Amino acid sequence: MEAMVCQNSFQQDLKTLMSDSFDSMVCDPTSRLIPTGFRGSESSGEEYVLFVNAGEEAVNEADGGLTIMADSFFEGGNVLRTDEQITEAGDCPFIYQTARLGNFCYRFDKIPRGDYIVDLHFAEIINTNGPKGIRVFNVYIQEEKVLSELDIFAVVGANKPLRLIDSKVSVKDDGVILIRFESINGSPVVSGICIRRATKESVPQGTCDYIKCNYCAGQIEIPSSQLKSMQTKSTAKYEKKVEELTMQCQLKAKECHEAWMSLTATNEQLETVRMELDNVTFKTLSLDQTVEKQAEKLRNISSSYDHDKKKWTEAIRCLQEKIKLMKSEHAQLSREAHECVDSIPELNKMVFAVQELVKQCEDFKVKYNEEMAQRKKLFNEVQEAKGNIRVFCRCRPMNKDETLAGGTSVVDFDAAKDGCLGILTGGSTKKTFRFDRVYSPKDDQVDVFSDASAMVISVLDGYNVCIFAYGQTGTGKTFTMEGTEQNRGVNYRTLAHLFEIVKERSETFAYEITVSVLEVYNEQIRDLLASGLSSKKLEVKQASEGSHHVPGVIEAKANNIEDAWTILQTGSNARAVGSNNVNEHSSRSHCMLCITVKTKNLINGECTKSKLWLVDLAGSERLAKTDVQGMRLKEAQNINKSLSALGDVISALASKSSHIPYRNSKLTHLLQDSLGGDSKALMFVQISPSNQDLSETLSSLNFATRVRGVEMGPVKKQIDTSELQKVKAMLEKARNECRTKDESIRKLEENLQNLESKAKGKDNVHRNLQETIKELEGQIDSKIAVQKQSERQVLELSNKLKGKDETCNALQHQVKELEKKLKDKLQSETASFQQKVWDLDNKLREQARESEYQSAILKDKVKELERKLKEQEQNSENLIHQKVKEVEDRYKERELKWQQTHNSVDGVKATPVEGKYKSCTGEDYPSENEPRILRSSNSINHSTNQGSAASLRGNDSINQMRSKREFRSIETENNFVDRKVMRKSDPPKLGRLGRTTRPVMAASQAPLTHKRVSRDRDQVQGIKERDNKKKIWSR
């Protein structure tokens, strides 16, 4: 009973240890993986050297008086802690709630020489949602691999302990134990390390395996050494069996080869029988063929007649049916036509009524559109009078990752045209937001800019304008503002639109456009157009007129769109960009494009200086969702800080607070002029349609609603103060000059008064004279002016006449020259054409003569060839008749020889086997030279038969059949002799000699029957197949 209880407990422990196939990960045969936590009862009776809790800074006491030390033996790595509960953690769950992560190792010094056992404790507390394979690493103890490709999540899952126990380590004189963790995928992690002294019980004497008994189903323990010897014996046993099977296979192959040789002999006999059958059926086949040809011709004629008869009858029937259908359709159409004629007055009334309704609908549509346009215009004017920030909402489309993950859209665009947006917050509940404009994922960049272009033009009229994009990271803010090279965004289209309007207003306005690109990165202002990383610190300053600017920023002058695009590319390339779990190309700073426009009215001299801010804000992100660390964490914190400062400013503006916290962030400090009430502002709020981003989407939309409620007051035109100061200085100077002149004039007036009092008498005398002189001078001046005017007119007329005369002379000269040139060209061209025509006539005559001469030569050659062909035909006929006679003589001689061989074969049948062998190898066989002679005669007969077939088609058919039978019988004789010669090369075996005599007898009867037909093609194929099969068996 005790043995059975021990056996059951052992099986249970074995199941718990081997549940997830841990053996593939454990490299040390003495160690094992256990999916349970540390228990204090395990420490009883064992000497613990030290127990380190990785990632813990304090010392803890476990049950049983075991002291768990703080983490101080590491080199490298980071610390991670969690408050989540660890299931099956044992007595010390705090061990698995801390861990060391990253690239690290542990080094334990001053350990006495001897054998020790190392236990490692693991738990997956970081990637609690998996998946498998996200963290895989190797573990080395004393540079020996003890764990290979350990995946904690794949073995036990998340927030569950996993221990490697009984890993044996020997410490030498240096007293060092080194534990190293090597990453394969992700960062290695460890929660605890336990080192205890090895006892005699713990040192394994040898690993044991178990086998199952076939009778009692009990497990029998077998040492590994004994198991290896059993395995070697079994492998030797199986090798012997394999050798025996190979020997049997070879014997079977030999037997198959012999069977195949016998099969080839029987096939040869079958071929001879087939040849006899072919000879017998040849005549019947020839007759049948002729009969079949005649019958086939008759059948074809009859079938063609029947086919044509059926075809024409079917065609006639189809035509008759079509005529009937056409008649019925004609009658129906006539009835319908009469009905239509009767119903025309009613239809006309209905048409007129429908047309009137359509006109009324069109009028209503036009009035409705006009009313909506007027309403929208008035609403925009009210909004501009209030100074509200315009808010446009844009939603990006679902991406591939969201659709693959099973995400759904929570945005409703049914009322998007009216500026309403619906968000499905859960179930059937829907929250509605209202904005100035709502864009669905189907709307492109052109639609977005068309609504913002009216505000952009205001910068050319002297107003400050600010356009900025706000939203969660990965919602398309940078795409809206910058776009791509194929699909430009607001920045590029704004500059292109500005330059177009500048070109249109070039006659009345003079513009000077400069561009600067800034970014707020980690609460520091950076100039993106500066070459290299400049160490100069940029700050926001307030100018004397009250506006804010950044001294030291590069303002690049742009004369056209190409210059502006190069500036934009330079700035975007220098912008800080990073990646996180949410967005692969996340903007890590606020990019601010400032376009400064200086305008001068060429008519009234008014000067303005306005700014257009195009701001691409960095995306708001949740640290728990993006899982950023290090520098990315600092960037995210600064981004959220600046955006929260922007939210505070918006809240203060919405509540009309006396204090607006612009200076809480560099971003709000730079945007103070745009948000402070002197400019027009437009905000693009970017949202995601995915249900996974629902909370971020609602947060963005609530912020946009607050922004839309901010009233900044009416906008003001930005007069260029620099020009005003210049004008003021000029006015002061003019006033000073006027004062000095007034004093000098006053002095002169006093002198004049004195002089006038003296000269009054003289003036009275000369007054009359002066008046007369003035009248005369006026008359003289008028006459001189009239004379000068007349002289000018005469000069102008004379100059015009001279110019006209010169042009007329030049034109006449050119006309004469052109006439001469035309005459010369006509003469030269006519002469050249006449010469070419004469040359062509001569060439044609020569070619005609040559063609006649060549045709005569060809006719003579044709006659000679016809004569030669007739002679050749006569000679060939004579030669063919001679060859036919020679073949008939040879055929008769062959018949006599075969009769002699037949008589000799009959004598052989009465003799024993030895006599057969002699007869087979004796002189009755044809000699080796005879096959060559027969083959040559075969080829001669073959050529003669071909020649006779070509030349004597008109001869008698009986002669043709005789010559064919002679030729085929000779070929069968040659093939038979060839086969005998081939069989003579085989080694002499009694069994085969007895079989080969039958074909000889069968072949000897062939010339007596005169019914054999040659089948060279079948025999050649049979010989080739037999040779190939012999080659296969020889392999």
Side-chain angles (χ1 to χ4, degrees):
M1 290 295 290
E2 291 178 356
M4 289 180 71
V5 170
C6 294
Q7 187 174 1
N8 291 329
S9 64
F10 179 76
Q11 287 179 355
Q12 289 176 1
D13 294 336
L14 188 64
K15 286 178 182 178
T16 57
L17 291 173
M18 302 297 291
S19 60
D20 289 322
S21 301
F22 300 161
D23 292 340
S24 61
M25 298 181 185
V26 180
C27 300
D28 187 3
T30 63
S31 58
R32 52 196 174 136
L33 284 170
I34 296 176
T36 57
F38 175 75
R39 296 188 182 276
S41 59
E42 297 176 359
S43 63
S44 61
E46 294 185 356
E47 183 182 355
Y48 283 82
V49 178
L50 55 87
F51 198 122
V52 177
N53 186 7
E56 183 62 41
E57 297 177 355
V59 179
N60 296 312
E61 294 290 335
D63 295 339
L66 178 62
T67 302
I68 298 175
M69 302 174 65
D71 192 5
S72 60
F73 300 94
F74 63 89
E75 293 180 5
N78 298 318
V79 175
L80 190 70
R81 295 181 179 85
T82 184
D83 295 331
E84 295 183 7
Q85 186 179 1
I86 307 298
T87 57
E88 298 180 7
D91 298 335
C92 303
F94 59 85
I95 295 172
Y96 306 100
Q97 288 178 340
T98 61
R100 182 156 293 279
L101 173 73
N103 186 11
F104 63 93
C105 66
Y106 278 85
R107 181 184 180 92
F108 302 95
D109 298 322
K110 298 179 181 181
I111 295 175
R113 180 186 178 90
D115 293 331
Y116 295 88
I117 291 173
V118 177
D119 298 338
L120 299 177
H121 299 258
F122 304 98
E124 182 59 63
I125 61 175
I126 303 168
N127 298 313
T128 56
N129 295 324
K132 294 180 181 180
I134 196 169
R135 188 189 309 285
V136 182
F137 57 93
N138 299 329
V139 181
Y140 295 85
I141 300 178
Q142 301 293 59
E143 297 302 328
E144 291 185 2
K145 187 186 286 187
V146 295
L147 282 175
S148 176
E149 297 182 2
L150 175 63
D151 187 354
I152 303 169
F153 188 84
V155 175
V156 295
N159 294 328
K160 291 183 180 180
L162 179 66
R163 290 189 295 157
L164 173 72
I165 64 171
D166 296 341
S167 182
K168 186 179 177 182
V169 178
S170 60
V171 179
K172 298 181 181 179
D173 295 333
D174 56 358
V176 175
I177 294 178
L178 181 64
I179 303 173
R180 186 167 59 86
F181 299 84
E182 183 185 55
S183 173
I184 296 174
N185 187 16
S187 300
V189 67
V190 68
S191 295
I193 300 171
C194 177
I195 301 174
R196 49 195 170 90
R197 192 175 295 278
T199 60
K200 291 182 178 180
E201 291 96 10
S202 63
V203 177
Q205 300 297 327
T207 58
C208 296
D209 293 318
Y210 301 90
I211 62 174
K212 191 175 183 180
C213 182
N214 295 326
Y215 299 101
C216 62
Q219 290 186 348
I220 302 169
E221 183 178 347
I222 297 174
S224 60
S225 59
Q226 187 177 355
L227 185 63
K228 288 182 180 178
S229 63
M230 291 174 68
Q231 288 177 353
T232 53
K233 287 179 182 179
S234 63
T235 53
K237 182 180 177 181
Y238 284 120
E239 286 176 356
K240 288 181 182 178
K241 286 184 180 180
V242 169
E243 289 178 356
E244 291 176 359
L245 289 172
T246 53
M247 294 295 291
Q248 290 178 5
C249 185
Q250 290 177 359
L251 291 172
K252 292 291 182 182
K254 289 181 181 178
E255 290 177 0
C256 290
H257 179 67
E258 291 176 358
W260 180 257
M261 295 303 294
S262 64
L263 183 64
T264 53
T266 54
N267 287 330
E268 289 176 358
Q269 292 178 4
L270 286 171
E271 286 176 1
T272 55
V273 173
R274 285 172 184 169
M275 288 170 64
E276 290 177 359
L277 289 171
D278 292 337
N279 290 326
V280 172
T281 56
F282 175 72
K283 288 183 180 179
T284 57
L285 285 171
S286 61
L287 292 171
D288 291 338
Q289 286 177 359
T290 54
V291 172
E292 284 178 358
K293 286 180 181 178
Q294 296 294 330
E296 186 68 25
K297 287 180 180 178
L298 290 171
R299 282 197 294 273
N300 290 332
I301 292 166
S302 62
S303 63
S304 63
Y305 174 73
D306 293 336
H307 179 70
D308 293 338
K309 186 177 180 182
K310 289 178 181 178
K311 182 179 177 182
W312 287 113
T313 54
E314 185 69 22
I316 291 165
R317 186 177 61 78
C318 291
L319 288 171
Q320 290 174 354
E321 290 178 355
K322 287 180 180 179
I323 289 164
K324 289 179 182 178
L325 288 171
M326 289 174 71
K327 286 180 179 178
S328 62
E329 288 177 357
H330 182 265
Q332 187 176 358
L333 288 170
S334 63
R335 287 196 299 273
E336 290 177 356
H338 288 298
E339 290 176 357
C340 289
V341 169
D342 296 334
S343 62
I344 283 171
E346 295 179 358
L347 286 172
N348 289 329
K349 292 178 181 178
M350 291 173 68
V351 167
F352 290 140
V354 169
Q355 287 178 354
E356 289 179 357
L357 290 172
V358 168
K359 287 180 181 179
Q360 289 178 1
C361 289
E362 292 293 330
D363 294 336
F364 286 138
K365 282 183 181 179
V366 171
K367 289 179 181 179
Y368 176 77
N369 291 327
E370 290 176 354
E371 191 68 26
M372 288 299 293
Q374 188 69 21
R375 182 169 172 268
K376 191 172 182 181
K377 184 179 178 182
L378 292 172
F379 178 77
N380 291 331
E381 289 177 358
V382 170
Q383 292 294 100
E384 288 182 0
K386 288 182 180 179
N388 286 15
I389 299 175
R390 308 287 295 280
V391 179
F392 293 170
C393 180
R394 189 179 189 186
C395 181
R396 67 164 175 82
M398 296 277 286
N399 55 36
K400 292 182 180 178
D401 296 336
E402 292 171 347
T403 53
L404 291 174
T408 58
S409 178
V410 296
V411 183
D412 183 13
F413 296 102
D414 292 338
K417 292 183 179 179
D418 297 331
C420 291
L421 183 72
I423 302 296
L424 303 174
T425 57
S428 60
T429 59
K430 184 170 74 172
K431 191 172 183 180
T432 305
F433 297 90
R434 180 173 290 277
F435 300 107
D436 297 300
R437 184 73 166 86
V438 176
Y439 301 101
S440 65
K442 296 179 182 179
D443 294 326
D444 56 3
Q445 301 280 60
V446 178
D447 299 330
V448 173
F449 180 73
S450 63
D451 294 325
S453 60
M455 187 171 286
V456 167
I457 299 171
S458 300
V459 75
L460 296 176
D461 298 330
Y463 297 98
N464 287 337
V465 180
C466 178
I467 300 174
F468 61 97
Y470 176 86
Q472 174 200 356
T473 182
T475 53
K477 298 182 296 300
T478 305
F479 178 75
T480 299
M481 298 305 293
E482 296 182 5
T484 60
E485 190 172 354
Q486 292 79 20
N487 197 1
R488 306 289 192 186
V490 173
N491 294 356
Y492 183 87
R493 295 176 186 275
T494 297
L495 287 166
H497 194 51
L498 288 178
F499 282 111
E500 287 178 1
I501 296 170
V502 165
K503 190 175 181 181
E504 292 174 1
R505 299 182 182 179
S506 59
E507 295 181 358
T508 56
F509 291 92
Y511 293 96
E512 181 182 350
I513 298 175
T514 58
V515 180
S516 59
V517 185
L518 306 174
E519 73 169 353
V520 179
Y521 177 72
N522 288 339
E523 287 301 313
Q524 296 292 327
I525 300 172
R526 294 169 55 185
D527 189 358
L528 297 181
L529 299 181
S531 58
L533 295 173
S534 61
S535 61
K536 186 178 179 181
K537 189 175 182 180
L538 300 175
E539 295 292 340
V540 181
K541 302 292 183 181
Q542 188 172 5
S544 59
E545 63 272 13
S547 62
H548 294 79
H549 68 288
V550 182
V553 173
I554 295 174
E555 294 185 356
K557 187 176 181 181
N559 296 321
N560 49 37
I561 188 62
E562 288 78 12
D563 297 344
W565 179 240
T566 55
I567 295 166
L568 290 181
Q569 280 185 326
T570 304
S572 63
N573 292 334
R575 188 182 181 187
V577 178
S579 62
N580 53 36
N581 292 344
V582 180
N583 191 359
E584 186 178 356
H585 301 284
S586 177
S587 302
R588 311 308 296 169
S589 65
H590 308 292
C591 183
M592 308 179 73
L593 173 65
C594 180
I595 303 169
T596 305
V597 180
K598 292 182 180 180
T599 309
K600 184 177 181 181
N601 193 330
L602 300 177
I603 297 172
N604 58 13
E606 183 184 11
C607 295
T608 59
K609 182 180 180 181
S610 54
K611 290 183 179 181
L612 170 62
W613 286 95
L614 299 172
V615 184
D616 179 14
L617 297 176
S620 59
E621 55 189 53
R622 294 189 177 179
L623 302 180
K625 191 171 184 178
T626 56
D627 194 16
V628 292
Q629 296 176 0
M631 195 64 187
R632 294 286 178 266
L633 179 61
K634 183 180 178 182
E635 292 171 352
Q637 290 172 349
N638 286 316
I639 289 167
N640 291 335
K641 179 183 175 183
S642 59
L643 292 176
S644 63
L646 180 61
D648 294 339
V649 170
I650 294 299
S651 298
L653 290 170
S655 62
K656 297 183 179 179
S657 177
S658 59
H659 173 68
I660 311 298
Y662 289 114
R663 295 179 180 269
N664 287 356
S665 174
K666 300 287 186 183
L667 175 65
T668 55
H669 202 180
L670 278 170
L671 294 177
Q672 183 174 354
D673 293 339
S674 301
L675 301 174
D678 290 340
S679 66
K680 298 181 180 181
L682 167 65
M683 186 182 85
F684 287 102
V685 57
Q686 299 284 142
I687 61 171
S688 169
S690 176
N691 58 347
Q692 299 173 359
D693 302 326
L694 179 60
S695 60
E696 289 84 353
T697 301
L698 289 172
S699 176
S700 299
L701 292 174
N702 288 325
F703 177 78
T705 304
R706 283 189 284 131
V707 170
R708 189 167 180 260
V710 174
E711 293 183 3
M712 298 189 300
V715 296
K716 297 178 183 178
K717 202 167 188 179
Q718 303 298 316
I719 305 298
D720 194 354
T721 57
S722 60
E723 295 292 332
L724 284 172
Q725 288 175 357
K726 290 179 182 178
V727 172
K728 286 179 181 178
M730 291 172 66
L731 285 171
E732 286 292 329
K733 188 177 179 181
R735 285 173 182 173
N736 293 327
E737 289 178 356
C738 287
R739 286 171 187 170
T740 55
K741 286 182 179 179
D742 288 336
E743 290 178 358
S744 61
I745 288 168
R746 184 173 56 78
K747 291 177 182 179
L748 290 171
E749 284 178 350
E750 292 176 355
N751 294 326
L752 282 171
Q753 286 177 1
N754 295 325
L755 292 171
E756 284 176 354
S757 62
K758 292 178 182 180
K760 275 182 181 180
K762 294 180 180 179
D763 289 335
N764 292 324
V765 176
H766 294 287
R767 191 174 292 166
N768 296 325
L769 293 172
Q770 286 177 353
E771 288 176 356
T772 54
I773 290 166
K774 285 180 181 179
E775 288 177 357
L776 292 171
E777 285 176 353
Q779 292 176 2
I780 291 165
D781 291 331
S782 62
K783 289 181 180 179
I784 291 167
V786 172
Q787 188 177 0
K788 286 181 179 179
Q789 188 174 2
S790 61
E791 287 176 355
R792 286 174 186 172
Q793 290 177 357
V794 170
L795 289 170
E796 287 176 357
L797 291 170
S798 62
N799 291 326
K800 287 180 182 179
L801 289 171
K802 288 179 181 178
K804 288 181 180 180
D805 291 334
E806 290 175 356
T807 52
C808 290
N809 294 325
L811 288 170
Q812 289 176 358
H813 184 67
Q814 288 177 0
V815 168
K816 290 179 180 178
E817 288 179 354
L818 289 170
E819 287 176 354
K820 288 180 181 179
K821 288 180 181 179
L822 285 170
K823 287 178 181 178
D824 296 332
K825 281 185 180 180
L826 288 170
Q827 290 176 0
S828 60
E829 285 176 357
T830 51
S832 62
F833 284 139
Q834 288 176 0
Q835 186 66 33
K836 286 180 182 178
V837 169
W838 291 338
D839 294 336
L840 289 170
D841 289 335
N842 293 327
K843 287 180 181 179
L844 288 170
R845 288 171 185 171
E846 289 176 0
Q847 287 178 359
R849 291 172 187 172
E850 287 177 359
S851 63
E852 289 175 358
Y853 179 72
Q854 287 178 358
S855 62
I857 292 168
L858 289 170
K859 286 179 182 178
D860 295 333
K861 287 182 179 179
V862 168
K863 289 179 181 178
E864 287 179 1
L865 289 170
E866 289 177 353
R867 182 176 55 77
K868 288 180 181 180
L869 284 170
K870 289 179 181 179
E871 290 176 358
Q872 286 179 359
E873 287 177 357
Q874 291 176 0
N875 293 328
S876 64
E877 287 177 358
N878 295 327
L879 289 170
I880 288 164
H881 286 300
Q882 290 177 4
K883 288 181 180 179
V884 168
K885 288 178 181 179
E886 288 177 0
V887 169
E888 288 177 354
D889 295 332
R890 287 182 183 177
Y891 179 74
K892 290 177 181 179
E893 290 175 0
R894 293 291 177 186
E895 283 183 348
L896 293 172
K897 285 182 181 180
W898 283 113
Q899 287 176 2
Q900 292 174 3
T901 55
H902 180 66
N903 294 327
S904 65
V905 168
D906 292 331
V908 168
K909 288 181 180 178
T911 58
V913 177
E914 293 179 357
K916 286 181 182 180
Y917 179 75
K918 289 178 183 179
S919 65
C920 290
T921 58
E923 294 178 357
D924 290 335
Y925 271 94
S927 63
E928 294 180 355
N929 295 324
E930 284 180 359
R932 297 176 185 173
I933 298 166
L934 290 172
R935 285 171 187 165
S936 63
S937 64
N938 190 5
S939 62
I940 292 165
N941 290 330
H942 186 66
S943 63
T944 54
N945 284 332
Q946 288 178 354
S948 64
S951 61
L952 297 175
R953 292 177 180 174
N955 292 336
D956 193 13
S957 62
I958 297 169
N959 292 327
Q960 289 180 359
M961 294 296 293
R962 286 177 63 191
S963 62
K964 285 181 181 179
R965 282 201 299 273
E966 289 168 0
F967 172 64
R968 286 170 180 156
S969 63
I970 291 165
E971 281 185 343
T972 54
E973 290 167 5
N974 293 335
N975 292 325
F976 181 77
V977 174
D978 289 335
R979 273 203 311 277
K980 287 296 176 182
V981 173
M982 287 169 64
R983 297 297 293 170
K984 283 176 77 177
S985 63
D986 294 332
K989 293 184 181 180
L990 295 174
R992 294 182 184 178
L993 288 170
R995 291 175 184 174
T996 54
T997 55
R998 291 180 184 176
V1000 174
M1001 293 170 65
S1004 63
Q1005 294 174 4
L1008 298 173
T1009 58
H1010 301 288
K1011 296 177 182 180
R1012 184 169 296 164
V1013 179
S1014 65
R1015 297 229 174 151
D1016 296 336
R1017 189 175 299 165
D1018 296 337
Q1019 290 175 359
V1020 170
Q1021 289 179 355
I1023 292 163
K1024 286 182 180 179
E1025 291 176 357
R1026 187 169 64 251
D1027 292 336
N1028 292 329
K1029 291 172 183 176
K1030 286 181 180 179
K1031 289 178 183 177
I1032 291 166
W1033 285 108
S1034 64
R1035 291 176 188 170

